[in-house]
Amino acid sequence: SGRTVWHNPHGYLPGMMRHMRPFFGTLSLAYGALAFWWGARVVLHWKDGSVMQLHYYISAVVSASLLESFLWYIDYEYFNDTG
């Protein structure tokens, strides 16, 4: 009837998962930069009327990738802080 808590110097993440938190943080920043660049290009060409349906699908994929990587980063950050 006891409790054991394992806390590493870097937080509660196990050693095999410790490198995933900065990886997903960096990936989120990269997808954020890509989304900003892609969004600016789409808006620029949208005014010309040269945006095709494919551009909207690419925008959806970039947005979904950004959301997924950000949510993984938040999950690892939460797990690292609370155990």
Side-chain angles (χ1 to χ4, degrees):
S1 67
R3 181 176 174 196
T4 303
V5 177
W6 296 88
H7 188 273
N8 295 320
H10 300 286
Y12 287 102
L13 281 175
M16 295 295 291
M17 297 171 67
R18 185 175 76 85
H19 299 289
M20 298 303 283
R21 186 174 54 100
F23 170 74
F24 280 112
T26 305
L27 189 63
S28 296
L29 290 176
Y31 273 128
L34 177 66
F36 178 77
W37 178 80
W38 180 256
R41 300 297 294 178
V42 167
V43 167
L44 180 68
H45 290 288
W46 183 52
K47 293 178 182 178
D48 297 339
S50 62
V51 175
M52 299 185 319
Q53 192 70 26
L54 177 65
H55 294 105
Y56 296 123
Y57 292 137
I58 293 172
S59 299
V61 168
V62 169
S63 299
S65 300
L66 172 62
L67 179 66
E68 180 186 12
S69 63
F70 181 71
L71 289 177
W72 273 112
Y73 173 73
I74 293 299
D75 185 46
Y76 281 116
E77 187 69 32
Y78 179 74
F79 182 47
N80 193 44
D81 289 341
T82 61

